[in-house]
């Protein structure tokens, strides 16, 4: 199925016009703008949201220019990205900083990079068969240094923390953001503070956060309570907020889309499918596509598909009513990463879905587990929330919205080892036919032989 080519917005609607002068340092390259009231802020302002109306901030860049100040053509921008792939020293070879001109132009010596990104675009017959989509590609963000896509936003957010001289950084998290913050804050030498819902984050994520040395607060409440608390603490105590409401985080996360487009030779796929919780990634994907389209890097808009867990789906409910109202829910799902009832990037995500003729659907816990067993069993592996994207593709093929031969990129957002507790429990369940139960044996070759015979028996 093909999608209508949308008309790109004029460059001046999305990028800073040339010749703006008299702005503070870095502002000739980028400014922060309130998406609600259009208030402009210096790029070095640490406000977590618009000081005038409380709206979410977004970053507006100057379009990429050559040394003489002329706007680069789409071909020249693509060439620049290609050259960065083999950059020496390696800074620009990062899958985020390769796109510096569209992320944080002029970041230069402040950059805090692992490096990150450069994640694979996989094709696996077993997963394609499962979804019914032969053109399915898997963008595996679990290959990032801390095992999730959050590293892409965090390298940029932490770089900004260095640029503004932040004395501490903080976030609320369902686990992955906290692991990424802890790692990048350690590298930057800035104290990190994370707020996570007590007893509700996966073991791997908690372990990482502790290991990298962030102060970890187990809040007696859910993610939504953690987010409210960290926002208040950041305002009152002057800690720099690194949740995805931070517009620089969004800039970093845009590079998932830039990188996958580059991997596809800038031939846009028909659909890009991702799991959605706090909606930062949905917002980032929409902004990336809008900018890529305006710059002429792509000529077709893919349709974005955001997949929420059925027990945490206020955005999907609003989508069904054409976003007439905003909802909050008491969230519950096995996919703890997206156990969020009051998503912060709501307005940005509505724009992303509208501009891409996008779709928002739900996957229930059983569908998520089923998709995860298929992804894991193909040797790819992912954490539960990530599997929502593959469950979503399967659903949309069944509904006749995605065609068998459409090009579809499903994003796996986190690594299989993020949630070992859930896995060990799942594979010992009596009621799970695909469970791979561990077998206790006597230390004898005879016992091993018996297992082998049983394996061959079940395979024949
Ligand atoms: N997948 C994973 C593995 C995540 O960790 C998250 C979000 C999402 C998907 C959803 O992305 O919030 O931008 O819609 N995790 C956040 C965290 C909330 O704190 O780690 P989103």
């Amino acid at each position: 199925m093909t999608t209508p080519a949308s008309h790109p917005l004029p460059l001046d609607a999305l990028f800073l016009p040339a010749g703006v002068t008299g702005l503070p340092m870095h502002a000739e390259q980028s400014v922060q703008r309130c998406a609600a009231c259009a208030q402009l802020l210096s790029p070095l302002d640490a406000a977590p949201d618009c000081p005038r109306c409380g709206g979410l901030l977004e970053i507006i860049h100057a379009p990429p220019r050559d040394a003489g100040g002329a706007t680069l053509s789409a071909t020249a921008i693509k060439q620049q990205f290609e050259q960065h792939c083999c950059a020496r020293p390696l800074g620009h070879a990062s899958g985020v900083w390769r796109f510096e001109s569209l992320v944080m132009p002029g970041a230069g010596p402040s950059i805090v990079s692992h490096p990150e990104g450069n994640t694979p675009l996989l094709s696996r017959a077993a997963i394609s068969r499962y979804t019914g989509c032969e053109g399915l590609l898997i963008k595996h963000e679990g290959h990032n240094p801390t095992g999730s896509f959050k590293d892409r936003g965090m390298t940029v957010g932490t770089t900004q923390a260095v640029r503004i001289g932040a004395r501490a950084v903080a976030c609320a998290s369902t686990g992955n953001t906290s692991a990424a913050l802890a790692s990048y804050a350690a590298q930057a030498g800035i104290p990190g503070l994370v707020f996570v819902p007590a007893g509700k984050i996966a073991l791997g994520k908690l372990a990482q956060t502790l290991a990298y040395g962030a102060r970890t607060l187990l809040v007696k409440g859910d993610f939504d309570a953690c987010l409210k608390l960290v926002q208040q603490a950041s305002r009152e105590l002057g800690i720099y907020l690194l949740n995805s409401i931070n517009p620089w985080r969004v800039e970093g996360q845009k590079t998932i889309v830039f990188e996958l487009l580059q991997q596809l030779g800038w031939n846009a796929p028909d659909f890009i499918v991702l799991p959605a919780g706090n909606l930062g990634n949905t917002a980032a994907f929409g902004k990336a596509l809008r900018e890529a389209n305006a710059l002429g890097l792509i000529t077709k808009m893919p349709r974005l598909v955001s997949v929420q867990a059925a027990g945490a789906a206020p955005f999907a409910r609003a989508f069904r009513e054409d976003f007439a109202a905003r909802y909050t829910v008491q969230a519950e799902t096995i996919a703890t990463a997206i156990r969020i009832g009051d998503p912060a990037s709501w307005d940005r995500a509505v724009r992303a879905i509208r501009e891409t003729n996008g779709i928002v659907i739900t996957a229930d816990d059983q569908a998520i587990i089923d998709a995860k067993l298929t992804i894991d069993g193909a040797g790819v592996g992912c954490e539960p929330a990530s599997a929502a994207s593959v469950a979503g593709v399967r659903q949309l093929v069944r509904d006749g919205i995605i065609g068998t031969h459409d090009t579809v990129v499903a994003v796996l957002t986190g690594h299989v080892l993020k949630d070992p507790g859930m896995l060990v429990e799942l594979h010992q369940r009596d009621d799970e036919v695909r469970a791979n139960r561990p077998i206790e044996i006597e230390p004898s070759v005879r016992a091993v032989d018996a297992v082998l015979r049983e394996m061959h028996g079940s395979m024949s």
Side-chain angles (χ1 to χ4, degrees):
M1 189 174 127
T2 53
T3 51
S6 66
H7 298 290
L9 286 163
L11 274 186
D12 279 0
L14 292 183
F15 293 93
L16 278 175
V20 185
T21 53
L23 294 170
M25 192 172 95
H26 297 300
E28 274 137 44
Q29 288 151 322
S30 321
V31 293
Q32 303 188 79
R33 182 174 68 185
C34 173
C37 76
Q39 168 85 2
L40 290 181
L41 267 67
S42 151
L44 299 184
D45 196 314
D49 43 31
C50 174
R52 193 160 77 178
C53 77
L56 293 178
L57 298 172
E58 61 181 2
I59 306 297
I60 312 288
H61 299 296
R65 299 199 182 113
D66 65 18
T71 301
L72 293 179
S73 67
T75 310
I77 296 172
K78 289 177 190 173
Q79 271 167 2
Q80 185 189 73
F81 296 157
E82 280 310 316
Q83 284 158 7
H84 284 170
C85 287
C86 343
R88 294 283 181 280
L90 283 173
H92 274 119
S94 151
V96 172
W97 296 104
R98 170 154 88 243
F99 305 104
E100 179 179 345
S101 56
L102 297 179
V103 170
M104 185 184 265
S110 308
I111 290 177
V112 184
S113 172
H114 209 285
E116 47 290 307
N118 287 313
T119 58
L121 199 54
L122 310 170
S123 162
R124 291 290 182 275
I127 307 176
S128 300
R129 242 189 340 266
Y130 176 73
T131 58
C133 176
E134 285 172 26
L136 179 66
L137 295 165
I138 303 285
K139 178 75 173 155
H140 204 328
E141 287 294 302
H143 288 237
N144 272 293
T146 76
S148 87
F149 72 98
K150 302 288 180 180
D151 294 334
R152 292 185 184 259
M154 208 49 78
T155 177
V156 182
T158 312
T159 298
Q160 178 69 357
V162 170
R163 292 209 301 180
I164 64 171
R167 69 184 179 103
V169 290
C171 71
S173 179
T174 55
N176 280 324
T177 303
S178 61
L181 179 144
S183 167
Y184 282 86
Q187 189 178 340
I190 303 174
L193 193 60
V194 306
F195 298 62
V196 296
K200 293 291 181 188
I201 76 166
L203 193 60
K205 305 173 188 182
L206 178 61
Q208 285 180 291
T209 307
L210 297 174
Y212 297 134
R215 290 301 274 171
T216 305
L217 307 179
L218 306 176
V219 180
K220 294 175 188 162
D222 58 12
F223 169 82
D224 302 296
C226 292
L227 185 56
K228 282 198 188 79
L229 182 59
V230 76
Q231 281 178 283
Q232 201 182 342
S234 124
R235 249 182 231 108
E236 291 177 19
L237 307 175
I239 311 165
Y240 188 53
L241 187 65
L242 280 181
N243 271 98
S244 59
I245 58 171
N246 181 315
W248 295 104
R249 286 266 321 270
V250 172
E251 292 308 290
Q253 286 173 206
K254 288 187 325 192
T255 64
I256 304 171
V257 168
F258 294 149
E259 192 176 274
L260 75 85
L261 291 173
Q262 190 181 31
Q263 285 166 314
L264 292 172
W266 301 99
N267 296 308
D270 298 307
F271 292 87
I272 300 178
V273 187
L274 75 163
N278 213 22
L279 301 177
N281 230 14
T282 301
F285 280 32
K287 190 167 191 280
L289 290 171
R290 192 183 310 141
E291 292 175 359
N293 200 30
L295 290 167
L297 301 177
I298 53 171
T299 50
K300 178 183 85 172
M301 265 302 205
R303 296 181 75 180
L304 268 188
V305 180
S306 293
V307 188
Q308 294 207 287
F315 194 58
R317 177 174 176 200
F319 170 77
R320 291 193 292 273
E321 299 167 7
D322 200 20
F323 297 121
R326 178 170 177 165
Y327 295 107
T328 60
V329 300
Q330 192 63 47
E332 196 48 78
T333 167
I334 194 167
T336 52
I338 50 175
R339 190 174 175 274
I340 295 171
D342 187 10
S345 282
W346 187 282
D347 294 339
R348 294 169 174 166
V350 169
R351 182 175 177 193
I353 294 297
R354 286 212 167 115
E355 288 184 357
T356 61
N357 188 22
I359 303 171
V360 189
I361 56 170
T362 63
D364 65 24
D365 281 1
Q366 193 49 54
I368 288 173
I369 292 172
D370 218 47
K372 179 174 157 53
L373 283 164
T374 304
I375 297 161
D376 292 354
V380 171
C382 67
E383 69 164 284
S386 307
S389 59
V390 168
V393 175
R394 180 175 158 98
Q395 187 57 50
L396 290 180
V397 171
R398 289 180 162 193
D399 292 347
I401 294 171
I402 292 182
T404 313
H405 298 289
D406 285 347
T407 309
V408 178
V409 177
V411 181
L412 296 184
T413 43
H415 195 277
V416 68
L417 280 177
K418 287 284 190 175
D419 199 345
M422 176 267 183
L423 271 175
V424 171
E425 193 270 326
L426 177 68
H427 285 287
Q428 306 204 50
R429 266 191 211 168
D430 291 332
D431 61 348
E432 177 51 66
V433 284
R434 293 160 81 187
N436 178 22
R437 284 173 211 75
I439 307 163
E440 211 173 282
I441 58 160
E442 294 301 325
S444 75
V445 171
R446 186 188 288 249
V448 178
D449 188 42
V451 174
L452 263 184
R453 281 171 200 277
E454 193 211 323
M455 282 171 73
H456 284 137
S458 66
M459 283 167 90
S460 59

